[in-house]
Amino acid sequence: MLKIEHGTEAELIEQARVVRATVFIHEQGIAPELEYDELDPDCIHFVGTVEGEPVTTARLRPIGDRVGKVERVATLATARGNGYAKEIMLAIESVARTNELRELKLGAQLTALPFYERIGYEAYGDEFLDADIPHRMMHKAW
């Protein structure tokens, strides 16, 4: 069973970074200096654990008037297919609503577009590269 925690504590950020390193740096070949940025302290971090081990993560960053940006969504390969990414996205949306955000945006890797569309996000704008990986912007408002 997935347990999701969120916050800004250093320990939680470190757990998130472990998942991000595995997925983005080791699996996708993204340079560490691109993955780890100065924005981590300004974000609410979400970490999903199974039996105490971090398996999925994301962060939420306020970017404007009642708008937040979801970033660094990652699930370990061994944990994929269990609905954990959907659970962490629903947790983010719940916290966003509690914090009176009215819209969430994210830059989705093209391979992830169908996942985000299934949970109500709509793509907009042109394709762009982020860390040499094709992306599109997506949003969901309520």
Side-chain angles (χ1 to χ4, degrees):
M1 179 175 206
L2 187 70
K3 177 184 177 190
I4 298 174
E5 294 182 70
H6 69 277
T8 58
E9 300 83 10
E11 181 181 335
L12 196 63
I13 294 171
E14 187 53 38
Q15 288 179 337
R17 284 181 167 214
V18 168
V19 175
R20 288 164 49 187
T22 301
V23 173
F24 295 126
I25 296 170
H26 302 297
E27 185 180 319
Q28 296 184 353
I30 295 172
E33 59 272 15
L34 294 177
E35 174 54 33
Y36 302 128
D37 59 25
E38 71 284 353
L39 300 174
D40 270 346
D42 301 326
C43 298
I44 300 170
H45 295 265
F46 294 75
V47 175
T49 59
V50 174
E51 296 178 6
E53 293 299 316
V55 297
T56 189
T57 190
R59 71 183 190 187
L60 173 61
R61 180 170 59 93
I63 61 168
D65 185 34
R66 297 187 181 197
V67 178
K69 188 165 184 218
V70 179
E71 301 169 321
R72 307 303 199 267
V73 181
T75 302
L76 298 179
T78 56
R80 292 180 194 145
N82 294 304
Y84 297 157
K86 180 179 179 180
E87 287 187 51
I88 210 157
M89 289 299 296
L90 292 174
I92 290 168
E93 290 175 12
S94 176
V95 169
R97 284 181 175 96
T98 299
N99 285 299
E100 299 183 359
L101 298 179
R102 299 213 186 272
E103 180 181 12
L104 290 178
K105 295 183 178 188
L106 57 88
Q109 293 183 10
L110 294 189
T111 56
L113 283 176
F115 163 74
Y116 290 112
E117 287 170 341
R118 282 192 302 274
I119 59 172
Y121 287 78
E122 295 180 11
Y124 67 93
D126 294 330
E127 204 175 288
F128 63 94
L129 291 178
D130 186 3
D132 292 325
I133 299 170
H135 285 68
R136 288 225 24 228
M137 288 303 296
M138 301 189 84
H139 72 104
K140 182 177 184 178
W142 48 83

